[in-house]
Amino acid sequence: MSPAPGDRPPLSAARAAAPRPRTLPAAPLQLDVLLDGLTHPGRGLHAEQLHWRRPGPLDLERFARAWQTVTDQEAVLRTGLAEPAPGARPGFAVHPYAAPRITRHRPDGAGPEAWDALLAAERKREFDLTRPGPLRIALLDEADGGTRVLLTYHRALLDRVGAGHLVRSFHRAYAADGRPRGGERRPDLRDHLQWVGSRDLAPARAYWSRAAPPAGSVTLPALDRGPTHQRGHGRTRQRLTPAEAGRLRAWAALLGAAESTALHAVWALLLYRAGGGGPGGAAVPVAFSAAVSGRGIPLEGAGELPGPLGNALPVAVEVRADVTVAELLGELGGRAVDLAAYEWVSAGQIRGWAPGSPVTESVLAFLQPEGGGRAGAAPWPGSGPRTRPHPQPPPEPGLPDGEGELVGACSGVPVAVSARHDRDGGLTLTAVHDRTRFTDGDAAELLWQTALLLRRLPSEAGPSTTVGEALTPLHGAPLPRVAPDPVPAARTLRPAAAAGAGRVCLLPPPGAAEDCYDRFALRYPGAPELVTTAPTAAAALAALAPALAAGEPVALGGHPGAAELAHEVARRIGAYGWSTPPVLAAGSDRALARALANLG
């Protein structure tokens, strides 16, 4: 492995003396992504990938020049987390200069195993978001002289659509031998953050206060089970043939719906089934999240803007056995239209506006066809709710139609399902699951049932077919099982004395009893909320996440044996854009109380 030209060049005196970049507050959606990555250490979440194969010898100098040109023109590639101000939530700063991060790998045997290992290693390697640039480039030489190009990017600053725009810009720059063509792209990330920050939240708050999932909603299409004793993420796939995909598209259109709405309806049926629904049963509230592009906003040029606009918003609906599938499709289609007005709103904001609303635990996405289609092509039929068209310039001669193959990111949700038409017209379904919640077998069963309904409904469900009748193909099929969240919830020792007072997490030393701070909590007179957790980084981070999301002060403390873990947690919080919280360690309850009192 060796660094390629353009990786970490020395800063010139002019660059070193450049004015400090302006800091803009992170958008609520970015805060959600940062919190999700922060609270799941060691999981490599929100790292998405695009890759393609380049035949023949690669001119590495020209390759690096082309990416430097793109970096100079695209603000997002020069952006990193800003130095946090005390008590402030994360912000981002666009720097005047950054270099592309390019690494060349020359394995002993450049076979499929080497490529798979590189994909996994790059995906699991965490980003240093304090350093400008959310994109890493890895090159893998092959025995026949070709090169595999792998882009790994972080979704706090880039989504799959934005990454595709960058790849097309790179191809144009490479064809021009890296010579700049025009200046910086505008609008850019700064314009988007300013646009989001200027929104009037009152209409969104009013809508989501009534449209958020109600308490008690079924959020996973599975029954409870014990721990899986597995780790990491898994992927499983099902495919509808071109003929099956064509029938699904025609059936959905006949009932006035898009293919994406048909996928939503099938998932709602599975959630209803897991919630105990049956013929003659009462209504079952179900909830999931639906992916939206985030580019239907009234910001000129948003369609071509590389940034973190992609989003997933909650969808809530009540399902009854006697409702027809056509009515369910119509209701879900209406929800999709409503979401189009709020693509910029984050799930964290929604939970703040609707206290008690459950967290949705699955995400559904209908992606662009494989290869992305040619620039300027019409949207793929059924790919989602209609939004404003975003015309693009025609492709230049000699450039590829698509921007590469996608490897979707893992996130903190237990299961995410994406659908994508392949080059032959078939429909590929991919489920990415958290193995601590779903075993590979349960995830495969869940996706198989999803595909089965998508195959059978077009031939068996007419305008008058009810939900109960639509589930007939699953009679006798097992219900998948899901394990509880393995990270234990924090235990509140004492509530805060006032709203916004913050939270202090007390970590037990190794081997200490769970109630080792109970007596201290009765005597400590301070204002912050006191909580305690299991002595793990994941548990402590999950305990502090609500206060971090609200911008409240946090601190970590405990007896000396817990100091090492507390410092590890504090460093991670600082690495994700928040102020590094104070760590207070004392050998006695009295000394710990004095230390907390000194926090002010």
Side-chain angles (χ1 to χ4, degrees):
M1 183 177 76
S2 59
D7 193 19
R8 289 182 179 267
L11 288 175
S12 67
R15 288 172 186 156
R20 198 170 177 180
R22 179 188 173 194
T23 297
L24 290 168
L29 175 59
Q30 292 176 298
L31 290 177
D32 284 1
V33 173
L34 291 171
L35 276 170
D36 197 33
L38 166 68
T39 54
H40 294 86
R43 306 277 292 275
L45 301 188
H46 297 290
E48 200 159 67
Q49 295 173 306
L50 281 173
H51 63 87
W52 67 92
R53 186 181 182 281
R54 190 175 186 88
L58 176 69
D59 185 338
L60 194 55
E61 295 283 351
R62 182 175 179 176
F63 184 92
R65 282 197 303 272
W67 273 113
Q68 185 65 65
T69 296
V70 177
T71 302
D72 292 341
Q73 293 175 335
E74 302 287 359
V76 70
L77 294 181
R78 306 190 309 278
T79 300
L81 284 170
E83 185 71 26
R89 286 188 284 191
F92 287 96
V94 179
H95 295 256
Y97 177 82
R101 286 178 273 182
I102 305 172
T103 307
R104 190 171 195 173
H105 298 260
R106 295 185 175 90
D108 294 334
E113 297 82 5
W115 174 243
D116 291 341
L118 180 60
L119 278 172
E122 286 293 318
R123 191 165 57 247
K124 292 177 181 177
R125 183 157 63 97
E126 289 200 86
F127 277 84
D128 178 4
L129 294 173
T130 63
R131 176 183 173 182
L135 178 71
R136 293 194 301 257
I137 306 164
L139 305 174
L140 180 66
D141 294 339
E142 295 191 309
D144 63 358
T147 305
R148 287 186 179 267
V149 183
L150 172 63
L151 309 185
T152 305
Y153 54 91
H154 198 284
R155 293 202 302 188
L157 284 166
L158 270 176
D159 61 14
R160 62 190 65 185
V161 177
H165 287 313
L166 295 179
V167 171
R168 287 191 288 274
S169 295
F170 158 74
H171 286 312
R172 287 192 289 270
Y174 189 87
D177 197 14
R179 291 186 293 274
R181 299 175 62 183
E184 281 192 303
R185 178 199 298 270
R186 298 303 290 262
D188 61 13
L189 178 67
R190 292 164 291 195
D191 301 301
H192 179 249
L193 292 180
Q194 290 173 345
W195 184 89
V196 171
S198 67
R199 294 305 90 200
D200 178 7
L201 299 181
R205 183 185 293 109
Y207 172 77
W208 285 109
S209 63
R210 65 177 185 273
S217 296
V218 179
T219 56
L220 280 176
L223 299 179
D224 293 340
R225 58 158 291 155
T228 65
H229 304 293
Q230 295 181 355
R231 299 179 63 185
H233 284 79
R235 295 175 190 267
T236 184
R237 288 183 174 84
Q238 287 282 330
R239 183 177 184 268
L240 273 64
T241 66
E244 291 169 337
R247 284 194 292 271
L248 175 65
R249 185 162 56 250
W251 172 76
L254 184 65
L255 296 178
E259 288 174 283
S260 58
T261 309
L263 176 62
H264 294 176
V266 164
W267 200 253
L269 291 176
L270 295 175
L271 289 165
Y272 168 78
R273 181 172 180 250
V284 175
V286 304
F288 56 89
S289 286
V292 294
S293 74
R295 287 173 163 77
I297 60 176
L299 172 65
E300 185 177 358
E304 292 78 45
L305 192 157
L309 281 71
N311 197 359
L313 293 172
V315 175
V317 66
E318 285 193 345
V319 185
R320 299 193 313 273
D322 57 352
V323 166
T324 67
V325 173
E327 290 172 327
L328 179 61
L329 283 168
E331 191 166 356
L332 288 168
R335 297 283 194 280
V337 172
D338 292 340
L339 294 188
Y342 301 104
E343 292 186 355
W344 50 275
V345 172
S346 79
Q349 285 178 301
I350 294 168
R351 288 193 296 273
W353 296 334
S357 179
V359 176
T360 53
E361 296 186 280
S362 58
V363 177
L364 305 181
F366 215 103
L367 309 180
Q368 285 187 325
E370 188 174 296
R374 298 186 69 87
W380 190 262
S383 61
R386 292 182 178 87
T387 58
R388 298 174 183 80
H390 301 299
Q392 299 180 2
E396 299 185 16
L399 300 185
D401 290 344
E403 56 270 359
E405 295 183 43
L406 174 76
V407 181
C410 302
S411 67
V413 297
V415 61
V417 176
S418 62
R420 189 174 196 174
H421 284 277
D422 56 35
R423 298 178 189 277
D424 298 327
L427 184 66
T428 299
L429 304 174
T430 304
V432 179
H433 60 281
D434 181 350
R435 285 193 170 114
T436 66
R437 306 293 305 279
F438 282 97
T439 65
D440 292 344
D442 281 312
E445 177 66 29
L446 178 56
L447 194 64
W448 178 84
Q449 293 182 10
T450 304
L452 177 66
L453 290 179
L454 290 173
R455 291 186 182 105
R456 297 281 292 273
L457 287 178
S459 58
E460 299 178 10
S464 61
T465 301
T466 65
V467 163
E469 294 166 343
L471 287 169
T472 301
L474 295 184
H475 285 177
L479 273 164
R481 298 276 177 168
V482 62
D485 190 337
V487 178
R491 187 165 63 91
T492 300
L493 299 174
R494 199 205 61 206
R503 180 173 289 193
V504 175
C505 181
L506 300 177
L507 298 173
E514 183 183 279
D515 61 355
C516 64
Y517 296 112
D518 287 15
R519 184 179 301 176
F520 168 80
L522 294 174
R523 298 177 178 176
Y524 171 61
E529 178 184 14
L530 293 183
V531 300
T532 187
T533 69
T536 67
L541 290 163
L544 295 174
L548 292 171
E552 297 177 7
V554 300
L556 293 132
H559 296 150
E564 182 178 351
L565 174 60
H567 283 290
E568 176 190 340
V569 172
R571 283 193 297 269
R572 186 169 179 86
I573 291 172
Y576 274 77
W578 280 267
S579 299
T580 303
V583 173
L584 312 169
S588 68
D589 287 354
R590 180 175 296 179
L592 184 58
R594 283 198 303 268
L596 288 173
N598 289 334
L599 287 176

